[in-house]
Amino acid sequence: MVIARNNVRILGRGRQSVVFAHGYGCDQEVWQLMTPAFLADYRVVLFDHVGSGGSDLSAYHPERYSSLHAYAEDVLEVCEASCGDAPVFIGHSVGAIIGALAAARQPGYFSRLVMLTPSPCYLNDGDYPGGFSRQDIEDLLGLLDRNRLSWARLMAETIMGNPDRPALAEALAERFCRTDPLVARQFARVTFLSDHRAVLPAVSTETLVLQCAHDAIAPDAVGAYVQAHLPRGHLVRLKASGHCPHLSDPVETAAAILSWLADSHFSRARA
């Protein structure tokens, strides 16, 4: 049931499972430029959040998915159904926060976490520089309600952050438009209006935070905040620009993750 619900696919020849979780408005296809680097040594688990990609849309219930906690429960169920070991979890953007919620819910479940451009709270709050005012978020959500196509183009350009490579933003906008409208609206509100800063200290798993240059969605100060509030957090700043380095620079992104996973400490833990 879980396999079909979340459209789970398993690739690769390794023993160690690595689970990839996509961000808002996307699906597992966003990892296709990065996963080849993992296939020789890892068992790659791909899935779609309910309501996205090839997941079972009939399983999407607005009441259940009114918070990120339901998505975190799904992640744990996906891992139980497809991983025979303590998996590595790699999540992008809101997918990273979903992973943090899952790790806090079951401490020690994951062997390691990788949080790619995470933001636990998008709203500015006192000294916390989330990047957006409440009015900014409400305006964006209002545009999504009124004109989905215009919202998709605007958000894709902002999120991708590579104006010299417009094809990247165009492809991302197309992904946004493929999401069911009801899911797109609710998932946007759940994503951009949530505040999960308090969960970070409860994540005991060793965690890599990957931060990009010129990220308009999760600024550098947010990445530093996440690392500082994780008990075992490590921060690596990529040269890649924008919020989606797995699309704009998959080679650098994969290399940073693989280097971290292959260090001597992790090798001993896997032995």
Side-chain angles (χ1 to χ4, degrees):
M1 178 180 177
V2 174
I3 299 297
R5 184 193 68 192
N6 289 93
N7 190 28
V8 177
R9 290 194 303 141
I10 300 173
L11 309 170
R13 300 185 295 274
R15 291 185 301 170
Q16 173 67 54
S17 296
V18 179
V19 180
F20 288 82
H22 64 82
Y24 172 80
C26 295
D27 56 37
Q28 61 184 263
E29 290 183 7
V30 297
W31 300 111
Q32 63 185 341
L33 299 177
M34 265 184 50
T35 50
F38 291 80
L39 295 181
D41 298 315
Y42 292 93
R43 184 172 179 271
V44 172
V45 178
L46 301 169
F47 73 98
D48 297 325
H49 295 301
V50 172
S52 302
S55 68
D56 181 1
L57 187 58
S58 69
Y60 185 85
H61 302 289
E63 298 81 8
R64 169 170 167 74
Y65 292 99
S66 61
S67 80
L68 295 183
H69 291 280
Y71 294 97
E73 292 174 6
D74 286 355
V75 162
L76 293 171
E77 291 179 4
V78 166
C79 293
E80 287 290 338
S82 59
C83 301
D85 55 4
V88 174
F89 180 90
I90 300 174
H92 169 241
S93 194
V94 68
I97 301 305
I98 290 169
L101 291 170
R105 187 183 182 93
Q106 290 198 25
Y109 187 86
F110 299 106
S111 56
R112 280 196 177 186
L113 296 180
V114 177
M115 303 178 76
L116 182 56
T117 62
S119 177
C121 178
Y122 293 92
L123 295 170
N124 298 323
D125 181 26
D127 294 334
Y128 174 77
F132 298 87
S133 69
R134 180 80 185 201
Q135 190 59 52
D136 291 335
I137 298 295
E138 293 294 348
D139 288 345
L140 285 172
L141 295 175
L143 179 59
L144 175 58
D145 290 338
R146 296 190 308 274
N147 191 326
R148 189 177 172 214
L149 294 179
S150 294
W151 182 91
R153 288 194 295 268
L154 173 64
M155 285 302 293
E157 291 172 359
T158 302
I159 288 172
M160 192 54 66
N162 283 261
D164 57 325
R165 301 162 68 189
L168 291 173
E170 291 169 6
L172 185 60
E174 290 177 4
R175 292 183 189 278
F176 287 164
C177 290
R178 291 202 296 264
T179 305
D180 179 85
L182 172 64
V183 176
R185 288 194 296 270
Q186 176 151 322
F187 198 9
R189 293 185 179 279
V190 171
T191 296
F192 292 108
L193 293 175
S194 63
D195 182 352
H196 291 292
R197 287 175 289 175
V199 78
L200 298 177
V203 178
S204 58
T205 308
E206 192 166 2
T207 304
L208 173 64
V209 178
L210 290 178
Q211 179 66 40
C212 291
H214 312 297
D215 186 342
I217 303 299
D220 187 80
V222 172
Y225 177 94
V226 172
Q227 184 272 328
H229 288 78
L230 289 167
R232 302 173 68 195
H234 308 267
L235 177 65
V236 170
R237 290 181 170 88
L238 300 174
K239 294 180 181 178
S241 181
H243 191 60
C244 300
H246 52 314
L247 295 173
S248 61
D249 200 335
V251 174
E252 182 195 16
T253 306
I257 295 171
L258 288 169
S259 175
W260 188 66
L261 293 180
D263 71 27
S264 59
H265 173 80
F266 191 47
S267 296
R268 288 195 300 270
R270 290 168 59 193

